[in-house]
Amino acid sequence: MNVEASSLEIHAKDASPSRTSEALKRALVVVNCVLLSLGSTGGPLLLRQYFLGGGKRQWLSAWLETGGWPALFLPLLISFLYRRRRRSPDSPARLFFLTPRLFLACTVLGLLTGLDDFLYAYGLAFLPVSTSSLLISTQLAFTALFAFLVVRQKFTPYSLNAVALLTVGAVMLGLHASSDRPKGVTRSDYYRGFALTLGAAALYGLVLPLVELTYAKAKQAITYTLVMEMQLVMGFFATAFCTVGMLVNNDFQAIPEEARNYELGEARYYTVIIWCAIFWQFFFVGAVGVIFCVNTLLAGILIAVFVPVVEVLGVIFFKEKFNSEKIIALVLSLWGLASYSYGQYRDEKKKKKKMTTLSSNYESV
């Protein structure tokens, strides 16, 4: 799942390292945009390929979404070495910034993310990746609702318009299930996948405001290093949650046999699951990086842009149907995302103008 597209822009701007050169910052923006783009497309497609090739382990597929969390040690190590080089021997660099309170909050968020991964992976087992991506885009509607309830973020005409459009698109897909079902999937299985995917979107719509609330209650500067530490803890506990499910479901014992029976061959089976974990980690790291280096708006726009890309790639690689209902749902989805993004842009512009006015008044005094 798209784990960290939360509202960090205010904290990110306050915590951006002033000593970082503009060239380095631009390079970070480009790298994180590339990672987010690769993860947004490669993650869902490889996960769907796992099921199409004969994979049947839902807990394993959920595990793959966050199983690449150890990769976060690399940027954290680089950050630590950079800080240590700039500090004097009398004032050594801190090894980590995570407090016990934040660690506990990230543990809970990680477990919720693990459950969300399972719902998404289980749903994708019965749905075309094109339909799944459209349903997941309704996460924005749930995020707007839970942001209102959790962090008291007010509804605007733009967010209400986005919620309405995304809801209509999801209902339209549900009413035309018969023309979209993959071969070998029963109607009941299709609706189960439909419900689980919507459940995943709703749960992640709750997780994002909770992440924002965690940042607001952190009582410390939100730096890029701290964000990465929090993502590492969340990834660890999400993976641990799915690991327990794999143990109960005997997935570890079933992997060798599933690999031998995989339609594309045993070697490609392991290639698919390894790259699936890597691409999902690209998504999480890229999302966090884009949000921190720029803002949430750009991350949301990039994710929205790749919804139709996943649609087209699903049609090309998996021969999925792209009927009129999907086209209309896609247009409604992009319209809703554009409406929400424009509303966020206007709000951000108003905040900047207000801060500029306050600063000018303060200087005049």
Side-chain angles (χ1 to χ4, degrees):
M1 289 297 301
N2 6 343
V3 151
E4 294 314 311
S6 61
S7 298
L8 283 177
E9 58 266 33
I10 296 175
H11 305 287
K13 290 171 185 172
D14 293 340
S16 296
S18 58
R19 297 177 182 176
T20 302
S21 67
E22 286 299 317
L24 177 59
K25 186 175 181 179
R26 284 195 295 270
L28 283 173
V29 171
V30 171
V31 169
N32 284 299
C33 285
V34 171
L35 290 176
L36 180 56
S37 303
L38 291 172
S40 296
T41 53
L45 290 170
L46 285 168
L47 195 58
R48 182 58 183 161
Q49 178 59 61
Y50 163 77
F51 288 114
L52 288 176
K56 301 182 183 300
R57 318 305 295 189
Q58 282 86 12
W59 280 110
L60 169 61
S61 57
W63 188 95
L64 294 174
E65 293 180 49
T66 52
W69 65 267
L72 293 173
F73 280 117
L74 179 58
L76 286 173
L77 176 61
I78 295 173
S79 175
F80 172 72
L81 295 176
Y82 177 78
R83 296 195 311 273
R84 190 175 67 173
R85 191 181 66 177
R86 298 182 67 90
R87 299 297 290 268
S88 64
D90 298 331
S91 179
R94 293 177 60 178
L95 183 60
F96 56 87
F97 295 93
L98 208 61
T99 63
R101 182 179 179 181
L102 276 178
F103 181 87
L104 180 61
C106 290
T107 299
V108 175
L109 290 170
L111 294 174
L112 289 175
T113 301
L115 175 59
D116 184 71
D117 290 343
F118 175 71
L119 293 176
Y120 172 73
Y122 202 167
L124 190 58
F126 303 116
L127 296 178
V129 69
S130 52
T131 301
S132 177
S133 64
L134 285 172
L135 291 176
I136 285 297
S137 69
T138 63
Q139 165 198 310
L140 184 60
F142 293 110
T143 300
L145 173 62
F146 287 119
F148 171 75
L149 297 174
V150 175
V151 293
R152 303 302 178 188
Q153 182 173 313
K154 294 182 179 180
F155 279 109
T156 66
Y158 302 101
S159 60
L160 287 173
N161 183 52
V163 170
L165 291 168
L166 291 167
T167 302
V168 171
V171 171
M172 180 173 293
L173 287 175
L175 293 176
H176 296 85
S178 58
S179 62
D180 189 41
R181 275 186 293 134
K183 185 178 180 180
V185 174
T186 65
R187 181 178 290 270
S188 61
D189 284 340
Y190 181 94
Y191 279 117
R192 186 193 313 170
F194 198 96
L196 288 170
T197 305
L198 277 180
L203 180 56
Y204 202 67
L206 172 62
V207 168
L208 292 181
L210 290 178
V211 171
E212 182 180 355
L213 183 64
T214 301
Y215 289 124
K217 300 291 185 180
K219 296 182 179 179
Q220 64 185 105
I222 305 299
T223 63
Y224 185 70
T225 300
L226 179 60
V227 170
M228 297 296 283
E229 289 177 2
M230 294 174 67
Q231 177 59 38
L232 186 144
V233 173
M234 291 171 62
F236 170 80
F237 280 100
T239 305
F241 178 87
C242 295
T243 301
V244 173
M246 289 180 67
L247 290 170
V248 173
N249 204 40
N250 297 319
D251 279 9
F252 288 105
Q253 296 91 324
I255 288 175
E257 181 179 355
E258 189 173 73
R260 287 192 295 269
N261 297 327
Y262 199 63
E263 290 182 6
L264 300 179
E266 187 172 356
R268 290 191 179 181
Y269 172 86
Y270 291 109
T271 300
V272 167
I273 63 174
I274 289 171
W275 278 104
C276 185
I278 291 173
F279 270 88
W280 276 115
Q281 205 57 43
F282 282 169
F283 176 86
F284 294 133
V285 174
V288 170
V290 171
I291 291 166
F292 187 84
C293 294
V294 188
N295 54 34
T296 306
L297 182 59
L298 179 59
I301 290 172
L302 284 175
I303 293 170
V305 163
F306 284 99
V307 169
V309 174
V310 173
E311 296 274 333
V312 173
L313 292 177
V315 173
I316 293 173
F317 291 116
F318 304 142
K319 310 300 180 185
E320 294 179 356
K321 295 179 181 179
F322 197 61
N323 50 35
S324 58
E325 290 81 15
K326 279 190 182 181
I327 294 174
I328 295 174
L330 176 60
V331 171
L332 292 175
S333 174
L334 293 177
W335 184 5
L337 290 166
S339 175
Y340 185 84
S341 298
Y342 182 68
Q344 291 290 92
Y345 168 76
R346 284 176 58 92
D347 289 344
E348 188 176 336
K349 197 172 181 180
K350 286 181 181 179
K351 288 176 185 177
K352 285 183 179 179
K353 186 176 181 180
K354 185 177 180 181
M355 291 299 295
T356 302
T357 303
L358 289 174
S359 178
S360 301
N361 293 338
Y362 178 79
E363 290 175 359
S364 62
V365 174

